[in-house]
Structure formats: C-alpha cells, structure tokens
Amino acid sequence: MYIVLLGPPGSGKGTQAARIAAYCRIPAVSTGAIFRDALARGTALGQAVSAVRMDRGEYVPDDVVLAAVDERLALPDCANGCIFDGFPRTVEQAHGLDAVLVARHASLDMVLELIVPEAVLIDRFTGRRVCPRDASTYHVRYQPPKVDGRCDLCGSPLIIRADDAEDVVERRLALYHEATMPLAKNYRNRVQYRAIEADRSADAIFEAVKVALGACMPQTAAAPPSQACSAGQ
C-alpha cells in the first residue's frame, strides 16, 4: 500500500505520517529525513544536497530526490509499501514516482492532503522555539516552556531556527503554492484523494485520516501485517 501525504510546511505531516505508519504497519518515508541522514554521513547524496540552500526554502532537484526515494524503497521495510511524507512536491516528481513504482510492479493507492490556512501556518512557525542541545521543540503560544526562553529538560536558551524566520516561511509557502498545489489537481482524477481539514488538534486530524483511509485501516490492533491496509488490492 503506497500513500502520499500532502500539505504545506507546518501542516503536521510528520506527526500524521508517523501515526498512519504505525496504524497501517508500513514505514513513513520522509525525503527530509533521508537528506539529513545523508548530510550527516557525508554520502554522495549528502554532497549533492549540501549545495542546496534549504535554510532559505530552496528545494533539492527532482533527479536527486527521485534517486534518493528509489534507494529508500529498495530497503526491506518498504516491501509492503510506505507513506510518503513531504514527497512528491511537484507534478514532475509525481510522474517520477509513478515510474519508480511501476519499476517495482506497484502503483500509488491513496493521496491525503492536509489543509491549513496560511495565517495559521505562519503563526505555527514564527512562534516555534528549539533547544540547540537536545532538539526539544516548544511554541510560545501552544506549548510554552516552563521558564520563558529556557528548555524544560536542560535549561539551555531556546533559539529560533533559521528556517522559522517569517521571510523564509513566507518564501517556503510561496514555493509550495507555486509547485506543490497543482499536485492535488493532478491526483484527484487518478487515485483515491481526500482533503483533511488540519487546523485542529493532532488527535482530531488523525480521526479524520482514519475515516478517509477507510478499508486501509486494520480491523484490529492484532491484525497481521498482511491483512492491514488492504484497500486497493
């Protein structure tokens, strides 16, 4: 079962992808995580990614992204499918994903899109604070630290990430609307597509996701992996 999870930066894709992955017993594949790992290990992919200013909202070239995804899908945990978090970002990448899946005798089964007003997204980013030592994340409004400006765990001064600056956030959202929004139109008539209102709690979003997935969800928590996510078979 192959699922694409769409949504602008800050819409909660990572949180929902992890929940869907656990519930459907398939891995979440995040290109961002792949790139960060490659950068940390200094691989050839990491060198290619390092030339891209992601801190300024720039995107990695399609050929590099698709090669990374193809390599990730070759790992054993993706044998029964996966959920793509933050990929594809463009119609061109969507066509590339089609080709990658066809080569594996598979196809895309479902697309879920998280919908959030832009003003809410900007607020989510600009209010976020991060601990530079243990990576704990806070928000000045929704999840403030116990002591203003200090990490609850280690007491370190919290920082604003470079990609959370308002001008960078606005640029990322502009790039999303320009390149990624057409994906929804591209997918609506091709696969099972559902739009999910995501301006609410993570729990409420996930309940809506489970309804959208329908037959994809396992009948019980004890269902074997072969019976989970049977939609589209």
Side-chain angles (χ1 to χ4, degrees):
M1 182 73 180
Y2 293 94
I3 304 170
V4 161
L5 182 61
L6 298 177
S11 60
K13 293 190 301 296
T15 297
Q16 297 304 319
R19 291 190 177 200
I20 296 169
Y23 203 76
C24 283
R25 303 184 184 184
I26 54 176
V29 172
S30 164
T31 52
I34 294 173
F35 297 151
R36 287 189 293 272
D37 176 68
L39 284 167
R41 293 189 293 115
T43 64
L45 173 61
Q47 293 175 12
V49 172
S50 67
V52 180
R53 294 302 303 271
M54 287 186 286
D55 61 333
R56 294 182 179 176
E58 296 179 4
Y59 289 150
V60 178
D62 290 350
D63 59 337
V64 176
V65 175
L66 290 166
V69 168
D70 191 31
E71 182 177 314
R72 178 66 181 86
L73 293 183
L75 298 181
D77 64 334
C78 289
N80 294 321
C82 69
I83 176 166
F84 295 103
D85 169 14
F87 169 83
R89 293 183 186 274
T90 66
V91 173
E92 291 74 20
Q93 286 184 7
H95 294 326
L97 175 59
D98 288 341
V100 168
L101 293 177
V102 166
R104 297 181 180 281
H105 306 288
S107 61
L108 192 61
D109 296 283
M110 177 167 283
V111 172
L112 300 173
E113 183 182 12
L114 303 182
I115 308 295
V116 186
E118 186 167 310
V120 173
L121 295 171
I122 293 175
D123 180 61
R124 287 180 181 179
F125 277 114
T126 56
R128 184 163 60 182
R129 302 292 184 269
V130 179
C131 175
R133 291 187 61 185
D134 58 34
S136 298
T137 302
Y138 305 87
H139 193 281
V140 295
R141 180 183 301 181
Y142 307 117
Q143 190 180 356
K146 295 176 182 177
V147 177
D148 187 35
R150 294 281 178 174
C151 176
D152 291 350
L153 300 179
C154 68
S156 296
L158 300 176
I159 63 171
I160 300 174
R161 294 189 337 187
D163 57 351
D164 283 344
E166 187 167 353
D167 60 331
V168 176
V169 172
E170 290 176 348
R171 173 171 168 73
R172 292 173 67 189
L173 293 176
L175 285 171
Y176 176 80
H177 286 296
E178 178 183 345
T180 307
M181 287 295 285
L183 272 177
K185 182 177 180 179
N186 175 71
Y187 278 134
R188 278 177 191 139
N189 296 323
R190 296 181 49 213
V191 296
Q192 201 169 357
Y193 167 91
R194 294 291 186 276
I196 306 293
E197 295 297 329
D199 183 15
R200 44 185 167 170
S201 71
D203 289 343
I205 295 169
F206 187 53
E207 288 303 313
V209 166
K210 287 192 291 185
V211 171
L213 288 171
C216 173
M217 311 312 294
Q219 296 300 310
T220 68
S226 62
Q227 294 179 12
C229 298
S230 58
Q233 296 180 354

